[in-house]
Amino acid sequence: MSESVPAMSAPGGGQPAPTAAGGGSGVERPGRGGRSRRRLIFEVLLVLGLSLGQSAVYSVVSLLQKLSQAPIAQGTSTLNKVQSSREYFDLTYQLLGIFFAVVPVFLVFYLLAEPGKSVFRRMGLDFRHPWRDGLGALGLLVVIGVPSLGLYAAGRAMGITTEIIPSALHQYWWTIPVLVLSAIHNGLLEEVIMVGYLLGRLEKIGLAPITAAVVSSLIRGSYHLYQGFGPFLGNVLMGLLFCWLYKKYGRVMPLVIAHSLVDVAAFTLGPALGFGG
């Protein structure tokens, strides 16, 4: 980063407590009017285009391709794929994929940074409340995990959900650690961008809080459409819940932890939980 980039304090720093509008900082200036709004719209489109918005477009195309070939229930969705038949090249590709996929999170931190203020603290992505965040995440694990299994089973029975294969990786010594890293990456990327960043930015643009939450949740659902309509619905509902919790408590950390735990369970225990092999 260049010297002109505003400094970002480390998590747990000594700045004032956050508000729930973590994505609403710093860009808008008094007197700039419509120009600031246009810049924010362009910024949001860039962030989404480099991350989950791009995934949403590919997901829609993937769903259309599957529907054009056979009923959706006959399709499969593999979440963690083999990248090379050679063990250590596969490991390298897996780690590179995780690293570059999380770069948009650091872009968001850069865009929200302000001199003398901690973007982590303002977003609630710090370690000031480990017990509260941990217990909240465990509660969310139950609230979103169990219904997700039921929704997946119902979607399969109704023929509106593909067979989800959480991992097709070969069994190496590094497989479980990589799956855990992949799960953490998903939790961090989705909750920081879709909740911690996007809600505040959409409100700055002029959307009402409830409208911003609906837009964020619909985008969340849309980048899961390649899995079918059941996961789309489940993730929209999950998004609405997470947006409400963030607006109420102003902390993204329990959302990141809960999301990561759900994915860790799915990726490592997939067949035992009823997912494909």
Side-chain angles (χ1 to χ4, degrees):
M1 294 184 185
S2 65
E3 292 182 359
S4 61
V5 175
M8 293 183 290
S9 303
Q15 286 73 17
T19 66
S25 64
V27 170
E28 204 166 16
R29 299 289 191 273
R32 297 187 66 174
R35 182 183 175 191
S36 291
R37 186 171 181 270
R38 287 193 297 271
R39 287 174 64 89
L40 281 176
I41 293 172
F42 187 61
E43 177 196 295
V44 167
L45 292 176
L46 282 177
V47 170
L48 292 178
L50 292 171
S51 58
L52 297 167
Q54 178 185 143
S55 298
V57 173
Y58 277 108
S59 185
V60 171
V61 174
S62 177
L63 175 66
L64 293 175
Q65 180 184 16
K66 291 173 181 177
L67 288 172
S68 69
Q69 294 174 326
I72 190 67
Q74 296 181 19
T76 59
S77 301
T78 304
L79 307 188
N80 293 279
K81 301 178 181 179
V82 173
Q83 301 296 327
S84 173
S85 59
R86 300 168 67 183
E87 177 182 355
Y88 286 98
F89 278 100
D90 193 15
L91 172 61
T92 301
Y93 281 125
Q94 299 294 337
L95 294 177
L96 287 175
I98 292 170
F99 172 77
F100 285 111
V102 84
V103 167
V105 173
F106 294 97
L107 173 61
V108 163
F109 293 155
Y110 170 86
L111 291 170
L112 299 184
E114 295 182 48
K117 297 181 181 180
S118 170
V119 63
F120 305 103
R121 191 177 180 92
R122 193 167 66 250
M123 191 180 290
L125 188 66
D126 55 24
F127 302 104
R128 288 177 298 132
H129 306 292
W131 288 106
R132 190 174 72 185
D133 289 345
L135 291 174
L138 290 176
L140 283 174
L141 174 63
V142 176
V143 169
I144 65 176
V146 174
S148 294
L149 295 176
L151 193 59
Y152 174 69
R156 292 292 293 156
M158 295 170 61
I160 60 172
T161 300
T162 66
E163 179 183 11
I164 297 177
I165 302 174
S167 173
L169 299 183
H170 300 305
Q171 294 302 310
Y172 298 124
W173 64 268
W174 50 262
T175 301
I176 297 299
V178 163
L179 290 175
V180 171
L181 284 176
S182 179
I184 294 172
H185 140 259
N186 287 345
L188 190 64
L189 177 67
E190 294 189 39
E191 305 317 326
V192 167
I193 291 181
M194 300 310 299
V195 180
Y197 166 79
L198 190 58
L199 285 184
R201 281 308 198 236
L202 291 177
E203 290 179 31
K204 280 282 189 181
I205 289 170
L207 272 62
I210 189 170
T211 305
V214 170
V215 170
S216 171
S217 301
L218 287 173
I219 295 173
R220 183 192 292 263
S222 66
Y223 58 76
H224 289 91
L225 267 173
Y226 72 98
Q227 300 172 9
F229 298 104
F232 167 79
L233 175 61
N235 278 278
V236 169
L237 295 176
M238 172 180 162
L240 291 171
L241 173 63
F242 278 18
C243 288
W244 178 77
L245 289 171
Y246 183 68
K247 293 297 293 183
K248 184 175 179 63
Y249 298 107
R251 292 194 59 75
V252 81
M253 179 64 87
L255 311 182
V256 171
I257 296 172
H259 189 146
S260 300
L261 290 175
V262 168
D263 282 3
V264 167
F267 293 170
T268 60
L269 303 171
L273 295 175
F275 295 105

